[in-house]
Amino acid sequence: MKIAFVGPAAVGKDVASDYIAKKFNLAHIPTGDIVREYMTKNNLGELDRANVRIIAKKMRDEQGGDIFVRIALKDNPDDVVLSGLRAVDEIYTLKKLGGKVIALDAPTEKRFEWAKIRGRIGDHISFEEFKAIEKKEYENKDKNGQNVARVMALADFQVMNDSDLESLFKKLDTLNL
């Protein structure tokens, strides 16, 4: 079983992925962790959202638009949940391999609050900065750039994460995975 969670920043992709991974005994691989590990290993600067976005695009440009799917599936080809796919080729490759994609969404204000709580590098910014960064991530004419809107549109399922975790998990339980 191959599943991916997509959506904007701080929407709950990793929480949902952990839940599904545990439910179906799958490995959970956050693609953001792949980028951050690559950045750390190669001394490529700060691990903030803007730099992660730049390096991820560079990796896609140099190694192919689906590089993060290929890296993730190298050691876990069958039973995996990926979180954080952001480029169209990643979705096409995963679907070609029989994977299903779940788009999570939530109101921007909620996601901003969740981002502050998770405390990842670059999450301690103003609401206006959060929205400005998000705008850069949402649409991109470059196929290797982040294109959250298009990736979400390609999903097999759409789930609104606008309440508590119990409600999110109940919604996930209704999906035909």
Side-chain angles (χ1 to χ4, degrees):
M1 175 180 285
K2 294 174 196 67
I3 298 170
F5 281 91
V6 300
V11 75
K13 296 179 295 289
D14 288 332
V15 170
S17 294
D18 285 341
Y19 177 76
I20 292 297
K22 185 175 181 180
K23 179 177 177 174
F24 293 104
N25 195 30
L26 309 172
H28 171 209
I29 302 172
T31 56
D33 286 357
I34 295 170
V35 180
R36 287 186 287 276
E37 181 180 319
Y38 177 83
M39 291 173 65
T40 300
K41 181 179 175 183
N42 293 288
N43 275 335
L44 296 176
E46 293 294 318
L47 301 176
D48 59 69
R49 277 174 64 184
N51 200 30
V52 168
R53 183 178 64 249
I54 290 166
I55 299 302
K57 183 190 176 314
K58 184 177 180 187
M59 289 175 71
R60 288 185 198 106
D61 286 343
E62 293 173 353
Q63 301 176 54
D66 63 351
I67 184 60
F68 300 114
V69 171
R70 288 187 284 117
I71 290 171
L73 296 182
K74 185 174 130 190
D75 294 329
N76 300 283
D78 297 316
D79 297 319
V80 66
V81 179
L82 305 177
S83 57
L85 300 179
R86 303 246 192 241
V88 173
D89 281 353
E90 296 166 343
I91 303 305
Y92 291 147
T93 294
L94 186 72
K95 286 186 162 204
K96 187 171 103 177
L97 296 171
K100 294 195 177 183
V101 180
I102 303 163
L104 286 182
D105 206 354
T108 307
E109 294 81 6
K110 276 192 178 282
R111 292 186 298 98
F112 175 68
E113 291 303 316
W114 294 335
K116 290 191 313 188
I117 291 167
R118 81 178 173 184
R120 197 177 282 161
I121 294 172
D123 282 346
H124 299 291
I125 56 177
S126 71
F127 185 58
E128 289 72 29
E129 291 169 309
F130 183 84
K131 291 190 299 185
I133 291 169
E134 193 155 89
K135 185 176 181 179
K136 291 177 186 174
E137 297 172 353
Y138 219 72
E139 290 188 41
N140 197 322
K141 292 184 189 329
D142 185 330
K143 75 176 192 113
N144 289 331
Q146 288 192 15
N147 193 338
V148 174
R150 182 76 176 118
V151 165
M152 288 178 69
L154 292 170
D156 301 294
F157 306 99
Q158 305 284 330
V159 176
M160 181 58 71
N161 182 16
D162 56 358
S163 187
D164 56 26
L165 287 178
E166 185 178 329
S167 298
L168 173 61
F169 297 158
K170 283 181 182 178
K171 289 176 183 180
L172 295 175
D173 286 339
T174 67
L175 301 178
N176 184 21
L177 301 174

